[in-house]
Amino acid sequence: MKQLSNRINSLPISATLAMASKARELKENGVDIIGLSLGEPDFNTPDFIKNAAIQAVQDNYNSYTPVDGYPALKRSISKKFKRDNNLNYELNQIVVSTGAKQSIANTCMVLLNPGDEVLLPAPYWVSYSAVVTLSEAKFVVIPSSIETDFKITPDQLDKAITAKTKMVIFNSPNNPSGTVYTENEYRELAKVLEKYPEIYIISDEIYEHINYGEPIFSFASITEMYNRTITINGVAKAFAMTGWRIGYIGAPSWIAKACNKMQGQITSGANCIAQRAAIAALDASVSEIKYMVDEFKNRRELIIGLLKDINGFKLNKPKGAFYVFPDISSYFGKNINGVEIKNSSDFSLFLLEIAHVATVSGDAFGNPNCIRISYAASTEQIKKACSQIKESLMN
Ligand code: GLU
């Protein structure tokens, strides 16, 4: 008898990856799908990073690395934290992992116990809720809407805290809404958390360089929060290195030590060549990636302009990341060209099947009124996708 564990049976499939794979499958069957579901820069990894990887192969970097990463990479990460985030992390506070996703999973696994509650300001990235569940804790959603630019208030945070709250996960710039919390807003949220010293904070800053306004403010740089914040980052989004799989944390040393122990049993050190390449990425000046950020900014203007022109799409202006998260709830309960739209999943499926555009339904991110559209795609693809969406929705 095939008897899988309750753990895997209760785990939802990653909605972002599921949609990407569905789109790929349709493409292989000859349907011309425009993939705007996956959050992945469409640029090539810059040459200076590729050259560092080639050099590492030639220099015979082929053995296991220390579980928590090469000291040389951890030194580069420590410098980067100081340079970009005004954060002091010593090498024993840093753990390198196979992508920021693993960094988040390690952190949840080492801090959470059954019955603990984790606050997720919504919309939140799909894997937070899944990893919290895998860690046998319970996630509690703090809702927001497009009217508040998808931000939660200090009062909402305070009201969501119970005696069981162990953690809150912040993510700015946010996936999927592109929302960026200002320093002042983060300081106000921190004031609430000051009253509850037993709560830990994950600050996921993976999109820090993909921002179109103020520099990103790191939650751990608030003095009172430093000793209980785990800062998550990685090279995937800023350096077009999604497949290289390098993420890392800066955290209190006892948490880093526990993550190192966890990782030692589950995966060991991250890929040796990718770690060497990540050193080149992190040592480089941020100006090296400006051309990508500038291009994302142009595409943001383009997609907002085009989507605003479509009936029933309510939009905010994202300040970072490369997603738009339109509220499309005005379509719920309607019948479009013979297809009944009850919720955001129906809408996203409609766009896939009729407009041939892959998006991700908002309910996977804790907001059932929206869909996520990634604009990490060429301007031609964005134009074509928006025109196909518009056409599909005309009765
Ligand atoms: N983080 C990206 C996204 O949200 C990549 C896919 C994933 O790991 O979920 O699309």
Side-chain angles (χ1 to χ4, degrees):
M1 194 168 68
K2 292 177 184 163
Q3 194 70 56
L4 291 172
S5 68
N6 297 340
R7 186 178 305 111
I8 193 67
N9 282 335
S10 63
L11 190 70
I13 290 175
S14 159
T16 47
L17 302 184
M19 193 46 133
S21 119
K22 199 166 193 166
R24 225 175 276 136
E25 208 176 286
L26 281 168
K27 254 185 187 169
E28 272 159 24
N29 288 331
V31 189
D32 187 14
I33 297 290
I34 305 174
L36 303 185
S37 58
L38 205 57
E40 146 158 273
D42 57 328
F43 295 98
N44 290 324
T45 303
D47 282 343
F48 71 93
I49 301 174
K50 290 199 277 196
N51 289 338
I54 292 165
Q55 192 62 49
V57 173
Q58 281 166 352
D59 290 347
N60 295 312
Y61 278 90
N62 41 234
S63 309
Y64 288 129
T65 80
V67 171
D68 52 348
Y70 285 129
L73 174 54
K74 297 210 297 174
R75 278 194 293 275
S76 295
I77 292 170
S78 179
K79 274 194 223 141
K80 172 257 167 307
F81 272 134
K82 184 78 205 147
R83 181 191 67 194
D84 300 342
N85 312 97
N86 194 27
L87 287 173
N88 288 311
Y89 285 120
E90 302 295 330
L91 298 206
N92 67 350
Q93 296 181 273
I94 293 168
V95 178
V96 178
S97 300
T98 300
K101 197 183 257 187
Q102 188 186 15
S103 301
I104 295 163
N106 283 345
T107 306
C108 287
M109 295 288 230
V110 306
L111 283 177
L112 299 175
N113 278 316
D116 287 343
E117 291 179 356
V118 177
L119 302 180
L120 299 183
Y124 53 81
W125 179 50
V126 293
S127 292
Y128 297 157
S129 49
V131 163
V132 167
T133 308
L134 260 188
S135 309
E136 298 182 68
K138 192 180 147 210
F139 66 91
V140 176
V141 177
I142 308 179
S144 74
S145 70
I146 201 160
E147 281 73 28
T148 57
D149 196 23
F150 297 112
K151 287 177 183 171
I152 62 157
T153 62
D155 190 46
Q156 275 183 292
L157 177 64
D158 208 352
K159 288 202 171 105
I161 292 172
T162 72
K164 292 184 180 161
T165 308
K166 177 79 181 269
M167 184 188 276
V168 52
I169 305 186
F170 291 132
N171 169 219
S172 170
N174 177 269
N175 174 5
S177 69
T179 291
V180 174
Y181 281 89
T182 63
E183 172 176 349
N184 202 33
E185 287 162 343
Y186 258 174
R187 287 192 184 280
E188 292 300 312
L189 292 169
K191 268 190 204 149
V192 173
L193 292 167
E194 267 184 58
K195 296 190 287 179
Y196 306 95
E198 67 286 2
I199 297 178
Y200 293 90
I201 301 101
I202 286 186
S203 176
D204 181 351
E205 301 175 7
I206 188 77
Y207 291 95
E208 74 171 327
H209 291 308
I210 323 281
N211 82 82
Y212 314 116
E214 295 293 304
I216 294 309
F217 183 74
S218 288
F219 200 78
S221 67
I222 302 170
T223 313
E224 295 76 10
M225 296 293 114
Y226 177 77
N227 278 331
R228 50 195 176 109
T229 299
I230 301 92
T231 306
I232 308 274
N233 214 322
V235 295
K237 311 292 180 180
F239 300 96
M241 291 176 74
T242 50
W244 298 69
R245 309 309 301 134
I246 297 291
Y248 53 86
I249 59 167
S253 56
W254 62 275
I255 296 177
K257 194 173 167 197
C259 288
N260 187 358
K261 182 174 164 191
M262 173 65 70
Q263 189 164 297
Q265 291 289 20
I266 293 184
T267 57
S268 298
N271 176 284
C272 54
I273 308 300
Q275 285 195 49
R276 296 295 305 174
I279 295 175
L282 294 173
D283 284 352
S285 154
V286 176
S287 63
E288 294 279 351
I289 54 166
K290 190 172 175 296
Y291 67 98
M292 294 193 247
V293 181
D294 287 348
E295 184 56 30
F296 285 134
K297 191 174 179 189
N298 289 339
R299 294 174 190 182
R300 175 187 67 159
E301 304 307 323
L302 175 70
I303 198 162
I304 287 178
L306 292 171
L307 290 177
K308 273 207 170 132
D309 208 28
I310 302 177
N311 250 343
F313 272 62
K314 222 195 278 176
L315 284 149
N316 68 329
K317 190 166 188 177
K319 306 267 187 318
F322 32 61
Y323 308 106
V324 278
F325 199 55
D327 182 319
I328 42 77
S329 57
S330 64
Y331 284 99
F332 298 172
K334 289 195 178 146
N335 190 299
I336 318 171
N337 297 318
V339 182
E340 208 193 331
I341 307 291
K342 293 186 295 300
N343 49 42
S344 62
S345 299
D346 286 347
F347 192 79
S348 181
L349 207 60
F350 173 89
L351 294 185
L352 182 70
E353 285 169 358
I354 310 296
H356 293 167
V357 178
T359 60
V360 187
S361 162
D363 45 16
F365 302 95
N367 184 321
N369 290 332
C370 299
I371 57 164
R372 188 188 81 173
I373 306 179
S374 161
Y375 54 89
S378 70
T379 49
E380 289 70 36
Q381 281 178 311
I382 292 170
K383 282 183 195 160
K384 194 164 171 230
C386 291
S387 128
Q388 286 174 203
I389 291 175
K390 188 173 180 182
E391 203 173 306
S392 72
L393 293 169
M394 282 178 182
N395 274 306

